[in-house]
Amino acid sequence: MTVDVGDLFSAVDYPVYVVTTVDPDSGERAGCLVGFMTQCSIGPVRFVVCLSERNHTYRVALRSDQLAVHLLGSARKDLAELFASETGDEIDKFARCAWTPGPGGVPLLTGASRWFVGSILDRTHLGDHTGFVVSPTMGDANDDEPPLMFSSVRDLRPGHEA
């Protein structure tokens, strides 16, 4: 039996994240919704965050040394929509949401359930995405709301095609 590889995992659901960053030289901020993020090392703790090479956040992250990764609660589809359906090439997403500056000015979203900021240790080309290996340096948990899952946002129109 032949199965379309893309269909093999179509029923699998997973949390989505908003990744933010800032260019330390210009102060340019960027952020986008990502579905490809996972822990990739236990000791020391490391995560890999995959950014589409077509989007504004990717281009700013190439000039940055930090990323912030935000887990949204299930009630925050509004933040997911802002960071998924708009592009920083056209609007300032941060003018449309509450945030505070974190280490080095990286934007921390006020509405996130949990977040961490980490240093970018490496970048690896992975098809149409680049994996940013991140070492967490600080974080916080604001509530225990269940995470916003991909199944809740799969209908959003992306600001850029992947």
Side-chain angles (χ1 to χ4, degrees):
M1 176 168 132
T2 303
V3 177
D4 180 340
V5 175
D7 291 339
L8 287 175
F9 294 96
S10 63
V12 175
D13 209 4
Y14 48 87
V16 292
Y17 305 86
V18 173
V19 173
T20 61
T21 193
V22 64
D23 178 336
D25 295 326
S26 69
E28 180 182 11
R29 296 180 300 267
C32 65
L33 189 73
V34 301
F36 308 139
M37 197 289 293
T38 191
Q39 187 172 345
C40 61
S41 176
I42 295 170
V45 174
R46 302 284 189 261
F47 290 86
V48 64
V49 179
C50 298
L51 298 177
S52 169
E53 294 175 359
R54 290 187 175 192
N55 78 34
H56 180 251
T57 304
Y58 165 76
R59 292 188 302 276
V60 175
L62 288 177
R63 301 186 309 266
S64 181
D65 55 2
Q66 297 184 92
L67 295 179
V69 177
H70 304 81
L71 179 65
L72 303 179
S74 58
R76 293 311 310 257
K77 187 174 179 181
D78 62 319
L79 276 176
E81 185 168 13
L82 172 63
F83 283 91
S85 298
E86 301 292 344
T87 173
D89 291 321
E90 298 172 4
I91 70 159
D92 178 1
K93 297 177 192 182
F94 300 97
R96 299 178 182 203
C97 67
W99 65 278
T100 59
V106 70
L108 301 177
L109 302 179
T110 305
S113 292
R114 298 168 184 272
W115 58 268
F116 72 83
V117 175
S119 300
I120 299 171
L121 302 178
D122 199 4
R123 295 168 177 88
T124 302
H125 177 72
L126 303 168
D128 59 2
H129 283 62
T130 290
F132 289 73
V133 179
V134 178
S135 174
T137 55
M138 66 180 295
D140 198 11
N142 299 315
D143 62 49
D144 290 326
E145 186 178 349
L148 184 66
M149 303 297 283
F150 177 70
S151 59
S152 297
V153 299
R154 76 176 54 216
D155 62 325
L156 295 178
R157 188 190 106 271
H160 279 285
E161 293 300 317

